[in-house]
Amino acid sequence: MLNPRGYIIVFSASGYALAAALILYVWSVYAELPEMVAVDFGPGGQPVIGPKEMLLRPLALMIGVGIATAAIITAIIVFRHTIVERYPYLISLPALTLVLGKIADKEVRRQYIDRLFVIVALAQVLVLVIITVIAISVLESARTFHFDATLTLGLTLVLTGGFIAGVLLYYRSIYREIRAKVVT
């Protein structure tokens, strides 16, 4: 089983691999699109036809936002120990940071911080998965002249909701474990 630092590295690398795969996918699908595609959809779902170049800016913006978000999350992950030890008020986990401060052994405290930030690395992957789903939806809609937001919206909501529920349960289990060690 990987230690928390291993999970952080795996999730972070997976996020960047997904971003690279998304760029390659968008590039290859875009090249195969006809010159005129659906660039928008009217109120009745009627496609607005335009040159495929009109898709470049929104797709590039989406991918750019995803990569910028991944870079910011990577910086947070790299400096996680400094953030928690020097600036505990910057993270919104006051109960955990208060209890972490009571752990005298610095290495044990650092291990718990690593466990807390596994979720942050996983959030990086989630953001890039959602951007990938949206980019695929945009390209598919442009190609087929049909847009159905149900699958994209549903998948985004399920992924986000599942992630939030998982985060709450994961942090709760860590908090209980730390409390048991501190109280004992």
Side-chain angles (χ1 to χ4, degrees):
M1 183 172 168
L2 285 176
N3 65 25
R5 290 177 187 155
Y7 283 111
I8 289 170
I9 291 167
V10 167
F11 289 147
S12 190
S14 298
Y16 286 107
L18 180 60
L22 174 61
I23 290 168
L24 292 174
Y25 174 80
V26 167
W27 189 331
S28 68
V29 171
Y30 179 82
E32 294 176 5
L33 287 175
E35 288 306 313
M36 299 302 280
V37 296
V39 294
D40 198 0
F41 293 89
Q46 298 300 319
V48 176
I49 310 301
K52 73 178 183 179
E53 289 79 24
M54 290 183 71
L55 296 175
L56 280 178
R57 198 171 283 164
L59 287 169
L61 182 63
M62 268 192 301
I63 293 169
V65 165
I67 292 172
T69 302
I72 291 168
I73 291 172
T74 299
I76 291 168
I77 292 167
V78 167
F79 297 107
R80 65 189 175 275
H81 297 286
T82 302
I83 291 169
V84 173
E85 291 171 3
R86 289 189 190 166
Y87 312 106
Y89 52 86
L90 291 178
I91 62 173
S92 62
L93 304 167
L96 277 173
T97 56
L98 287 174
V99 175
L100 275 174
K102 295 179 182 177
I103 297 175
D105 185 345
K106 186 174 181 172
E107 185 54 35
V108 171
R109 187 171 52 244
R110 290 175 72 83
Q111 289 172 4
Y112 278 111
I113 291 168
D114 287 344
R115 286 180 59 192
L116 293 173
F117 279 81
V118 166
I119 293 294
V120 177
L122 188 57
Q124 174 187 20
V125 175
L126 177 68
V127 166
L128 290 165
V129 164
I130 290 172
I131 287 174
T132 300
V133 166
I134 293 169
I136 290 170
S137 175
V138 166
L139 288 169
E140 191 60 23
S141 297
R143 187 181 65 75
T144 63
F145 296 91
H146 175 68
F147 179 68
D148 183 11
T150 308
L151 179 64
T152 304
L153 181 61
L155 187 57
T156 301
L157 290 174
V158 166
L159 287 171
T160 305
F163 180 77
I164 291 169
V167 167
L168 294 174
L169 293 172
Y170 181 73
Y171 280 167
R172 181 173 180 249
S173 71
I174 293 173
Y175 175 76
R176 286 181 160 190
E177 187 179 319
I178 294 171
R179 281 244 338 137
K181 285 188 179 198
V182 170
V183 172
T184 305

